[in-house]
Amino acid sequence: MVKLFMCILGLVFTHGIAFAQHLDSVVFYEVDQLPIYKGNLRSFISNQINYPETALLDSIEGIVQVTFSIDTNGVTKNHRLLKSVRYDIDSEALRVAKLLQFESPAMNNKRPIETTFLLPIKFNIIEYHAAKKKTKSNFRKNGNIKK
């Protein structure tokens, strides 16, 4: 019985050391401070999205969920789809998600850490046309587009 206990204790101790040695590569899910994106994330996404023509023609709408890591420099990486709508819309959501750069990473114990982020990107035809119309209107007000 003592041998079994010592064997279990040895395994726990060994795994504890291995975990501590690789602490820098652990992806944290609970953090003291979330990553900071400079500006308005929704506006950025809305301005960057190019609704695929094929999806517009087929009246395809939905929410694509993209997940990715934010490293200790605020750079996004390892982008992948968590929820798909259709290949053309999925590709556009991934393209826009890859453009994101965070001003500062997540923090845990006052240290920058890598963390995972879930980004839902909504594709709605009416909202898309309204956003594009608003963008054109703003350009006209600023004198950037001639009437």
Side-chain angles (χ1 to χ4, degrees), residues 15-109:
H15 288 292
I17 290 173
F19 178 75
Q21 289 174 342
H22 300 289
L23 190 58
D24 289 337
S25 64
V26 173
V27 176
F28 287 84
Y29 291 96
E30 291 186 32
V31 297
D32 295 336
Q33 179 185 332
L34 293 173
I36 296 172
Y37 180 81
K38 187 176 183 178
N40 185 323
L41 186 58
R42 287 202 185 279
S43 291
F44 176 81
I45 292 169
S46 177
N47 291 332
Q48 294 298 318
I49 289 288
N50 295 316
Y51 216 113
E53 278 296 318
T54 52
L56 285 171
L57 292 171
D58 295 341
S59 300
I60 303 296
E61 298 180 323
I63 298 173
V64 178
Q65 292 183 357
V66 180
T67 185
F68 51 85
S69 297
I70 302 169
D71 72 12
T72 56
N73 296 313
V75 176
T76 62
K77 61 183 188 177
N78 303 326
H79 300 77
R80 62 185 179 86
L81 293 172
L82 201 59
K83 181 182 174 211
S84 172
V85 173
R86 192 171 87 168
Y87 67 92
D88 48 356
I89 288 181
D90 298 344
S91 295
E92 181 61 11
L94 280 170
R95 183 191 71 78
V96 172
K98 289 177 181 179
L99 296 175
L100 293 174
Q101 171 102 21
F102 286 76
E103 184 176 4
S104 64
M107 303 291 277
N108 206 26
N109 296 322

